[in-house]
Amino acid sequence: MRLFLTALFIITQTALSAQSESTVIGKVLDAENNATLPGASVFMQETKKGVATNSDGQFVLNTKPGKQELKATFVGYRECSKDVNLAPGDTLFIDIKLERITLKRVEITANRSDLTNSTKMGVNKLDMETVEVLPAFLGEVDLLKTIQLLPGIQSAGEGSSGFFVRGGGPDQNLILLDDAVVYNASHLLGFFSVFNSDIIEDVEIYKGGMPAQYGERLSSVIDISQREGSKEEFKGKGGVGLISSRLTLEGPIKKNESSFIISGRRTYIDVLTKPFLDENSEFGGSEYYFYDLNAKLDWELNDGGKLFLSGYLGNDAFDFASPQSEFSTRVGWGNKILTGGYQKAYDRALFKVTGSFTNYGFNFLGRQSDFELEVNSSITDYRLKPEFYFYLGNHRIKAGAAYTFHDISPNNSRAEQGETIFNLGDQQQFYSHEGGLFLSDEFNITTNLKVEAGIRYSGFIHTGPFKRYIVDQNGTKQDTIQYKRGANIANYQGFEPRILTRYRLNERESIKAAFTQNYQYIHLANLSPLALPTDVWLPTTEIVQPQRGRQYSIGYYRTFKEGMFETSIETYYKDMENLVEYKENTQPSDGVDNNEDNLLTFGRGVSYGVELFLKKTSGKTTGWIGYTLSRTEREFSELNNGLSYPAPFDRRHDLSVVATHRLSDKWTLSSTFIYATGRPITLPQSGYFIENSLVYNFEERNSFRMKDYHRLDISATYSVNPIKEIKDPTTGEIISREKRIQTKWVFSIYNVYNRLNPYFYYFENEGQVSNNTFNVQAKQVSLFPILPSVTWNFSF
C-alpha cells in the first residue's frame, strides 16, 4: 500500500508540474525554400533548456511560463531570436525561418554540438551539401558510397554501393525512403545507388543504440528523407555527366500551402555506345540502362496538420541479342514505392501516421531458337505505422505500432520449347504478417545523467495458402502438405528491450552506453558474397527461425573549440543467432519443385570492434577521419566442418579520410582516401586428376585474404559567378543582379594513383600433364583503373 501511495504521489506531482509549464510547438525552416531543417537547435536563452528538431524539422519544447527569448540555430544559418510571452499551461505554435550565411561575408561557425548532450550513440547524420562536394565515381553523386566512409560501415566491394554494418549481413540493414522499405538500393549490379541526390533532404544512420521506434533488422537503420518542394516559387536543378543526366523541378501548387517536387535520372550508356557497335558483331544487339523517378507532394492543412504523398520508380534493363546466333536474353530489376502520411502537432504532443507500398522484382528471360526460359522473384509489402510523441514533465515519450503484410515469391521458373511446356513445379509464394508495438521514455535522472529506455514487442505469422515439400537429409522429396488460405503455419514473437544512457562529465565530454536486442523476420539468401539483384528474400517459416541480435556498446565523446571538432571512440560487441546460408554445393536449380528454405542451413555469428571518429564541422576546411578495428566470424554446423570462420565481409582494419577545402568563392576542393584489409575468400589448396579433369581440394572456408584495398579520389568544384553586372539604361548606373541560371562544374578523378585493387581471383591452367609442363596460376581481376570525369550542374 505504501508503494502504491508513493507511486500515486509521484505521478500526481509530475502531472501538476506538466500543467504549470508552457509548451512551444513548431518547425524550423530554410527561409529561402521552406525546406525543413532536421537537427536544428531550439532553446530558451534564459534557461538554456532546449531540444533538437526531428527528421521533419519539428520540435516540442516545454518551458516555464513568462517572457523569454526563444532562439534557433543551425550550421550554415544565421541565428534567429523571437520574444515569447507564455501563460501557465499555454501552447504556442510557431514556425522559425533561418537565413543561410553567405560565405562571402562570414565563415560558417559551429553550433553547440548535440554529440555530448543526447543519448544517441552509433548514430551519424549526413546532409546532401556534404555528399555533393565529395569525389564521385564517374561523377555520379552516391549517398550510399558516402555512408561507407563512416566508421563501422564497410563496402561490399570495388565501386559497390552495397555495405555491411558492424559485422551484419546485407539483409540486416533497414533502408527507409520516407518510411517505406527499399529492398534493393543499387543499380548496375551495385555500382550505383538508387538515390538521386537532388531530391534527398538528409540521411540518418543508426548502427548502434537503435531506438524502440525502429525494428525489423539486426544491424542498422538508414533513414532517408526526400525533401519538400518550394512553396514560394518555381525552381529547377539538374546535371549532365558522363553516363547519366538528371533534372529536378519544384514549386508551389498553392503558394505557402502546398508544393510539388519531381526528379528524374537516366543513363545513356546504350545511346552512347550504339554508334560504336557493329550491328553484326557479337554484342551488336546489346543495350543497358537504368532510370529513377522521384516525386513528392505536400499540403499544409487548415487544421494545422500536414499531408504528404511521395513515390519512387526505378528500373535496370539489360538486353542482349547476338546476330551471330539465335540466343537472346532480357534481364530487369527494380523498385516501386508509394508512401502517404499525415501528421499534426497538439498541445505537448505530435501524432504521425504513414502508409506505404513497396515492390521489388527481378526477371530473367532467355531464348535459344524455340526454347524459352524465364526466372523471376519478387517481394511486395503493404505497411502502416502510426506514431505518437508527447511530453509529460521531464519525460519525452514515444509510442506507436507498425504492421506489414509480406507477399514474397522467390525463384519461380517456367520453361517451354515450341508447344511443349516443361513442369518446373508449382510457383512458390509466401504470405506473412509482421507487427510491432513500441514504447520509449527519454528523461533526466540528474542534470548529468540521461536515460532513454524502450521496449518493442514484435510478432510474425506465416500463413497459407502454401505448399510444403517434405524432404529428407539428402534433399529428396518425400511428401507434401497443402495449407489452406489463412492457415497459421508458424508464428513467433518476442520482446526487444532498448536502453541508452548518457553521463555528462562536463559541457564538452560525456560517456554513453547502450544495449539493444532485435528480431529479424525477413532474410536474404545469396550464393555470392556480393549483394546482387538475383539474391532471394525469404520470410521466417516453420523451418527458418527469426534472426536474433544483441549489441552492447560503450563510448566516450568530446568536443573541442566550441564544437568545431567532434571526437568519439566507441566499442561494441554483437552476437547473432539463426543466421541463414545456403547449404554446401547448392545450385539455383535446386529450388525447382522445392521450397527455397529447404536449401538453407542455420548458424550464429559474432562481431566486435572499436571505432574512432574525428570530425571538423566548420571553417574553410571540413571533413573527418574514421577508423575501425574489428573482427567478424560465423559458425554453421553444416559449413566448414562446423568450425568458425571469418565472415566474407570481415575486415580487420578500415580507414577513411575525408577532406573538403573551400579555396575561394569559386573553387572547392575535396578528397577521400580509403584503406581496408583484404576481403577473406576460399581458394583451393591442392588438386588431383580424375579422367584427365582437374579436381580441386579447398582450404577451410574464407582462410585466404585478398590484397589490401586502398584508393585515393579527388575532385574540384568550380562555381560560376552567380552575379552579373548590367547597366541601367535610364541612369547609366552599373547594378548587380543574380543570374537566372547558376552553374557548377565538378571535375573528379577516381583512383588517382591507379591502384589495381582485386575484385576476384580465378585460376588458369597452362601446359600438359603428359610432359610435366602442367601449371596452375592464380590471376587477379581488377575493375577500375584511374577514371577522370566531369559533370555540369545547374539550377534556376
Side-chain angles (χ1 to χ4, degrees):
M1 185 69 179
R2 181 180 297 175
L3 180 61
F4 171 76
L5 292 174
T6 303
L8 181 63
F9 174 77
I10 293 173
I11 294 172
T12 304
Q13 288 299 108
T14 301
L16 290 172
S17 174
Q19 291 176 0
S20 65
E21 286 189 329
S22 303
T23 305
V24 182
I25 300 175
K27 291 185 295 186
V28 180
L29 306 168
D30 185 310
E32 181 181 350
N33 56 22
N34 274 349
T36 58
L37 298 178
S41 297
V42 183
F43 60 95
M44 291 297 182
Q45 176 64 27
E46 289 78 4
T47 63
K48 302 299 181 183
K49 183 178 181 180
V51 295
T53 57
N54 64 12
S55 59
D56 297 311
Q58 298 174 326
F59 68 91
V60 178
L61 175 61
N62 291 328
T63 184
K64 66 180 184 179
K67 292 183 178 181
Q68 297 188 70
E69 183 181 8
L70 177 67
K71 286 191 174 184
T73 63
F74 193 65
V75 173
Y77 290 79
R78 296 184 181 281
E79 182 179 88
C80 179
S81 299
K82 291 182 178 291
D83 292 327
V84 296
N85 189 4
L86 301 167
D90 271 2
T91 299
L92 172 66
F93 295 90
I94 188 171
D95 286 348
I96 304 174
K97 296 186 177 183
L98 302 184
E99 295 182 354
R100 289 178 178 267
I101 296 174
T102 303
L103 291 174
K104 291 181 179 179
R105 290 174 291 197
V106 62
E107 292 182 12
I108 294 176
T109 57
N111 295 321
R112 179 182 173 183
S113 173
D114 195 43
L115 178 75
T116 58
N117 294 316
S118 74
T119 58
K120 292 180 179 179
M121 64 180 306
V123 179
N124 295 99
K125 194 162 189 172
L126 292 175
D127 62 85
M128 295 314 299
E129 289 186 0
T130 300
V131 175
E132 288 174 351
V133 299
L134 297 181
F137 175 61
L138 293 177
E140 292 296 308
V141 175
D142 196 315
L143 176 64
L144 296 188
K145 285 192 176 69
T146 305
I147 288 173
Q148 297 169 11
L149 300 173
L150 298 170
I153 303 178
Q154 299 173 351
S155 167
E158 172 75 285
S160 174
S161 60
F163 59 95
F164 308 102
V165 178
R166 288 186 172 179
D171 63 326
Q172 295 177 358
N173 304 313
L174 179 64
I175 302 177
L176 299 174
L177 180 65
D178 282 347
D179 209 41
V181 179
V182 181
Y183 279 100
N184 188 298
S186 63
H187 289 301
L188 192 58
L189 303 179
F191 293 124
F192 303 101
S193 79
V194 301
F195 302 112
N196 181 351
S197 63
D198 286 348
I199 200 170
I200 301 301
E201 178 74 30
D202 59 31
V203 57
E204 197 159 22
I205 305 107
Y206 295 84
K207 55 187 178 178
M210 193 183 298
Q213 67 264 33
Y214 295 111
E216 305 173 46
R217 300 294 187 273
L218 297 192
S219 290
S220 75
V221 176
I222 313 297
D223 196 351
I224 302 168
S225 301
Q226 296 187 107
R227 65 186 181 88
E228 299 174 357
S230 172
K231 293 184 176 66
E232 302 288 338
E233 59 180 336
F234 178 79
K235 295 181 178 182
K237 66 185 299 188
V240 179
L242 291 182
I243 65 168
S244 74
S245 292
R246 63 192 192 280
L247 177 65
T248 301
L249 301 174
E250 61 181 295
I253 299 174
K254 186 176 182 180
K255 195 168 184 179
N256 297 323
E257 292 186 15
S258 58
S259 69
F260 77 92
I261 183 169
I262 184 169
S263 183
R265 175 178 65 163
R266 190 193 190 278
T267 60
Y268 30 70
I269 303 172
D270 52 331
V271 178
L272 294 179
T273 58
K274 198 165 187 177
F276 302 99
L277 289 177
D278 186 346
E279 293 184 359
N280 298 316
S281 69
E282 184 177 355
F283 298 97
S286 302
E287 67 175 12
Y288 169 80
Y289 66 89
F290 69 77
Y291 66 84
D292 301 297
L293 181 65
N294 301 68
K296 189 169 187 177
L297 306 173
D298 70 280
W299 298 266
E300 300 283 350
L301 304 179
N302 293 331
D303 65 353
K306 181 179 179 180
L307 191 67
F308 82 90
L309 181 68
S310 70
Y312 168 81
L313 176 65
N315 197 61
D316 288 66
F318 172 73
D319 289 328
F320 173 79
S322 175
Q324 301 176 359
S325 67
E326 297 182 349
F327 175 74
S328 66
T329 184
R330 172 170 291 179
V331 185
W333 65 95
N335 298 281
K336 301 179 184 72
I337 296 173
L338 182 65
T339 306
Y342 171 80
Q343 62 185 34
K344 184 177 180 180
Y346 297 90
D347 185 10
R348 306 175 188 274
L350 174 69
F351 173 72
K352 178 179 179 182
V353 60
T354 56
S356 65
F357 163 83
T358 297
N359 171 265
Y360 168 71
F362 169 82
N363 178 266
F364 168 87
L365 178 62
R367 295 186 179 95
Q368 177 74 48
S369 299
D370 63 342
F371 177 77
E372 184 173 289
L373 173 67
E374 183 176 16
V375 180
N376 58 73
S377 61
S378 67
I379 179 168
T380 302
D381 281 359
Y382 300 89
R383 177 182 170 96
L384 182 67
K385 186 178 182 181
E387 301 173 85
F388 191 53
Y389 301 170
F390 62 96
Y391 285 83
L392 183 61
N394 181 42
H395 299 263
R396 185 188 183 203
I397 300 171
K398 304 176 186 177
Y403 166 77
T404 304
F405 173 71
H406 301 286
D407 179 357
I408 303 177
S409 178
N411 271 353
N412 290 302
S413 307
R414 71 168 183 87
E416 57 186 66
Q417 188 165 14
E419 297 182 356
T420 303
I421 299 176
F422 297 92
N423 182 12
L424 300 181
D426 296 335
Q427 176 172 308
Q428 295 186 70
Q429 201 83 15
F430 295 86
Y431 301 100
S432 53
H433 305 266
E434 181 177 358
L437 301 171
F438 68 85
L439 175 67
S440 70
D441 183 9
E442 183 179 2
F443 57 96
N444 286 302
I445 296 177
T446 67
T447 304
N448 293 323
L449 181 60
K450 178 184 280 190
V451 173
E452 181 176 350
I455 189 71
R456 184 182 183 92
Y457 178 76
S458 62
F460 187 89
I461 304 175
H462 176 209
T463 64
F466 181 68
K467 187 176 183 178
R468 166 60 64 193
Y469 293 90
I470 308 299
V471 299
D472 59 21
Q473 293 183 347
N474 298 319
T476 304
K477 185 168 66 175
Q478 302 295 314
D479 197 2
T480 60
I481 301 175
Q482 183 65 54
Y483 293 95
K484 295 181 179 180
R485 178 178 297 275
N488 187 339
I489 302 171
N491 64 82
Y492 303 88
Q493 60 277 320
F495 287 98
E496 304 177 24
R498 317 284 174 84
I499 184 164
L500 300 86
T501 62
R502 178 228 67 196
Y503 184 77
R504 188 167 55 195
L505 302 174
N506 51 54
E507 287 295 315
R508 296 177 299 171
E509 296 176 277
S510 66
I511 297 173
K512 303 180 186 181
F515 168 76
T516 60
Q517 177 171 292
N518 297 55
Y519 285 100
Q520 179 171 327
Y521 300 100
I522 299 295
H523 320 271
L524 186 67
N526 48 20
L527 294 169
S528 166
L530 302 177
L532 298 174
T534 53
D535 295 342
V536 175
W537 287 94
L538 290 169
T540 293
T541 64
E542 73 270 36
I543 292 177
V544 182
Q545 304 289 307
Q547 298 180 50
R548 183 176 70 176
R550 297 187 185 95
Q551 184 173 177
Y552 311 81
S553 51
I554 188 169
Y556 169 77
Y557 307 82
R558 176 169 179 149
T559 62
F560 297 89
K561 293 193 173 181
E562 298 182 351
M564 178 181 288
F565 292 93
E566 297 180 351
T567 61
S568 66
I569 176 170
E570 292 185 19
T571 182
Y572 67 91
Y573 178 88
K574 181 196 295 184
D575 65 81
M576 297 160 280
E577 299 174 1
N578 302 326
L579 304 181
V580 301
E581 291 281 0
Y582 278 111
K583 296 177 182 178
E584 293 278 17
N585 303 316
T586 297
Q587 301 298 322
S589 59
D590 295 340
V592 175
D593 202 22
N594 196 359
N595 300 129
E596 200 74 21
D597 54 1
N598 285 331
L599 311 178
L600 302 177
T601 183
F602 311 99
R604 62 181 301 273
V606 63
S607 181
Y608 48 90
V610 178
E611 299 169 2
L612 306 176
F613 193 53
L614 170 63
K615 182 179 181 181
K616 187 173 186 290
T617 63
S618 62
K620 287 188 174 182
T621 302
T622 58
W624 67 82
I625 300 173
Y627 170 74
T628 305
L629 173 67
S630 64
R631 187 182 187 91
T632 303
E633 293 185 340
R634 297 287 189 262
E635 184 177 316
F636 289 75
S637 60
E638 297 186 52
L639 300 179
N640 200 45
N641 297 317
L643 301 174
S644 64
Y645 59 90
F649 33 85
D650 174 58
R651 300 271 179 90
R652 193 72 65 248
H653 304 281
D654 193 275
L655 173 69
S656 298
V657 181
V658 178
T660 299
H661 179 71
R662 184 173 292 277
L663 191 64
S664 65
D665 293 338
K666 294 183 177 180
W667 285 98
T668 300
L669 308 179
S670 295
S671 65
T672 60
F673 174 77
I674 302 169
Y675 170 85
T677 303
R679 182 164 56 87
I681 57 174
T682 305
L683 293 180
Q685 184 178 24
S686 60
Y688 55 91
F689 285 92
I690 297 180
E691 297 180 353
N692 293 323
S693 296
L694 180 60
V695 178
Y696 289 111
N697 283 323
F698 285 88
E699 296 182 354
E700 292 185 3
R701 198 178 184 96
N702 292 343
S703 59
F704 180 84
R705 286 191 181 270
M706 290 182 170
K707 293 180 181 177
D708 291 351
Y709 184 98
H710 51 88
R711 192 187 78 240
L712 174 67
D713 306 331
I714 60 174
S715 71
T717 301
Y718 175 74
S719 301
V720 179
N721 191 348
I723 305 299
K724 63 179 179 181
E725 294 183 345
I726 60 174
K727 187 176 182 180
D728 190 311
T730 305
T731 64
E733 181 184 359
I734 302 298
I735 58 177
S736 297
R737 289 185 180 175
E738 190 175 84
K739 294 178 181 177
R740 177 59 180 164
I741 299 178
Q742 301 184 14
T743 61
K744 292 181 180 181
W745 290 90
V746 182
F747 307 93
S748 296
I749 301 179
Y750 180 90
N751 196 5
V752 172
Y753 52 85
N754 200 32
R755 164 74 174 179
L756 297 179
N757 289 298
Y759 189 65
F760 65 84
Y761 296 125
Y762 72 95
F763 290 88
E764 189 174 88
N765 303 336
E766 298 177 351
Q768 301 293 326
V769 177
S770 57
N771 58 11
N772 292 324
T773 60
F774 183 83
N775 185 35
V776 179
Q777 285 191 342
K779 296 194 174 182
Q780 173 183 308
V781 173
S782 300
L783 287 184
F784 303 116
I786 182 172
L787 290 174
S789 63
V790 59
T791 303
W792 176 63
N793 296 321
F794 60 89
S795 62
F796 57 88

